[in-house]
Amino acid sequence: MSITRRKLLASAAAAAALARAARAQKAAPGGGGSGPVAISSSNGLRAVERAVQLLQEGRDPLEAAIAGVNIVEDDPNDMTVGYGGVPNYDGVVQLDACVMHGPTARAGAVASLEGVKNPTRVAKLVMETTDHVLLVGPGARAFADANGFARENLLTEKARKVWLYWRQNLSATDKWLEPPPDKLDPEVKAFIDQFGWDDFRKPRSGGTIHLSAVDARGDLAGCTSTSGLFFKIPGRVGDSPIIGAGCFTDNEVGSAGSTGRGEANILVSGGHLAVELMRQGRHPKDACVEVLRRIAHTTREKRLLDAQGRPAFGITFYALSKSGEYGAASMYDASPTGKRAQFAVADPRGARKEDCAHVFQRRS
Ligand code: ASP
């Protein structure tokens, strides 16, 4: 490398560090104050609150992140994560999750795990007690058995009814008869209203939880947990348990993760990309926007695009820097049902929801 080029790179790195430091001194919004911070998808308001409480008690950031996410995994009313999650094609709930611990730069993950409502806890054990990062399917289940996790039924009545309704409507040429529209079960109707389920054949989801946390010392952790795309092909694994996609944490820089169409995220390694953009000096929010632009740019298949050539799916990124700056961005400003894209954040000022940045406007 020539001296000039080396000098140029050194001064660019110094400028990026200065920009980070200058922003870190500014007060919220966007963070950067002192004290612990946790950021998550919008379904994680109680999760970020719990995580920050634990961080204020001096607990490890990963322990705090997982304890927060466990609240959502245990909640049967959240049909996108853990207990009560929408099942796969066969009516079986299969969960994906990962955890990443900044200080030790280690990670663990499980995919297509059945019968354990807290896959993040199993993922943490993969990280702590094995030489591996990712265990899947029956292997993940056997590992959970070995660690004393009971085999629980994760399929709630509501999720079963939703699955059955989907199955009955899936094809006009199979042996299932479509139920008469006036006999629609109220719980199934509530589900359809919530997710704007216009076409039963499309793989849909509208949830998952990602949570990234930083403590007052600047130590970071991240974790992501999901029941995946509704009615997915058995064994399908999304981005959530993939380190570098659904979650990535680098203790020197920050932590990031995602919810939404996992296939799109895997193809750009979005979690890792967001952290690398922060390393180059981008604010977490801008890093998230840039990852989404990359996804929009590389989505070429017609079936995945709308009439205006924009991605026909939802996806959101969340990012948190070592200095406590945070931000999130969504492909669209609102969901197909018109719900504003938001994320949850907690710091010593309390827990709240804030609006995500976005790349496209839903109605334009
Ligand atoms: N990212 C999840 C997956 O692809 C689904 C979602 O967040 O909606 O499995």
Side-chain angles (χ1 to χ4, degrees):
M1 201 189 321
S2 77
I3 300 281
T4 357
R5 183 164 150 69
R6 208 184 303 147
K7 265 193 188 155
L8 209 72
L9 287 177
S11 61
L18 267 176
R20 273 202 300 269
R23 274 203 312 270
Q25 278 166 14
K26 277 196 216 144
S34 61
V37 184
I39 181 176
S40 82
S41 37
S42 65
N43 54 350
L45 194 61
R46 285 179 302 154
V48 287
E49 189 176 28
R50 179 88 186 113
V52 165
Q53 255 169 22
L54 293 174
L55 291 171
Q56 284 175 319
E57 290 168 18
R59 303 274 275 276
D60 178 83
L62 184 55
E63 208 187 305
I66 292 175
V69 166
N70 286 165
I71 296 173
V72 181
E73 290 175 331
D74 290 345
D75 180 359
N77 294 318
D78 192 315
M79 297 182 73
T80 67
V81 180
Y83 177 57
V86 175
N88 68 11
Y89 186 95
D90 290 336
V92 177
V93 180
Q94 291 187 321
L95 304 180
D96 296 343
C98 77
V99 303
M100 193 154 185
H101 186 236
T104 55
R106 293 172 79 194
V110 288
S112 291
L113 174 63
E114 296 177 15
V116 179
K117 62 174 143 186
N118 300 125
T120 46
R121 292 196 194 181
V122 184
K124 185 164 183 270
L125 285 169
V126 172
M127 177 185 95
E128 288 171 342
T129 69
T130 79
D131 184 35
H132 307 310
V133 170
L134 174 61
L135 295 179
V136 307
R141 180 62 253 186
F143 177 75
D145 288 341
N147 281 283
F149 285 86
R151 289 187 177 233
E152 298 167 279
N153 177 18
L154 305 186
L155 187 67
T156 57
E157 262 308 281
K158 181 175 178 185
R160 186 193 60 76
K161 282 193 275 185
V162 164
W163 171 78
L164 188 61
Y165 184 75
W166 168 79
R167 195 64 200 80
Q168 290 166 336
N169 280 283
L170 190 57
S171 165
T173 60
D174 65 13
K175 301 294 183 214
W176 296 89
L177 303 181
E178 285 175 32
D182 58 332
K183 293 257 165 62
L184 190 58
D185 181 282
E187 286 195 315
V188 176
K189 182 172 181 327
F191 176 87
I192 292 172
D193 291 345
Q194 183 183 353
F195 292 101
W197 196 12
D198 49 353
D199 182 346
F200 301 119
R201 290 162 202 89
K202 276 192 197 152
R204 284 291 299 274
S205 164
T208 301
I209 181 163
H210 167 76
L211 192 150
S212 281
V214 63
D215 68 15
R217 289 183 305 269
D219 280 336
L220 289 141
C223 90
T224 305
S225 183
T226 191
S227 48
L229 293 187
F230 301 162
F231 321 120
K232 60 194 176 185
I233 294 176
R236 176 265 184 189
V237 173
D239 58 329
S240 308
I242 307 296
I243 299 298
C247 182
F248 191 73
T249 304
D250 182 320
N251 216 46
E252 285 171 17
V253 178
S255 181
S258 168
T259 61
R261 185 181 155 77
E263 281 74 4
N265 182 12
I266 292 172
L267 291 171
V268 301
S269 304
H272 184 259
L273 180 55
V275 171
E276 289 310 302
L277 289 164
M278 286 194 280
R279 194 192 306 278
Q280 290 165 22
R282 302 274 183 111
H283 186 279
K285 174 169 64 102
D286 300 330
C288 293
V289 169
E290 189 55 38
V291 176
L292 290 167
R293 287 205 181 112
R294 182 80 61 93
I295 288 174
H297 180 67
T298 53
T299 301
R300 315 242 160 96
E301 279 177 89
K302 228 173 157 202
R303 69 185 176 93
L304 297 173
L305 300 170
D306 70 6
Q308 298 172 58
R310 311 176 306 180
F313 51 82
I315 183 160
T316 305
F317 281 84
Y318 315 85
L320 175 64
S321 76
K322 188 170 178 65
S323 60
E325 294 174 298
Y326 62 84
S330 206
M331 193 62 89
Y332 288 93
D333 60 331
S335 73
T337 53
K339 211 169 144 220
R340 242 181 27 249
Q342 291 193 305
F343 64 98
V345 61
D347 56 21
R349 295 187 298 142
R352 58 199 173 271
K353 286 195 191 178
E354 294 187 12
D355 287 349
C356 295
H358 59 270
V359 177
F360 299 112
Q361 265 181 316
R362 180 70 60 186
R363 320 217 182 280
S364 65

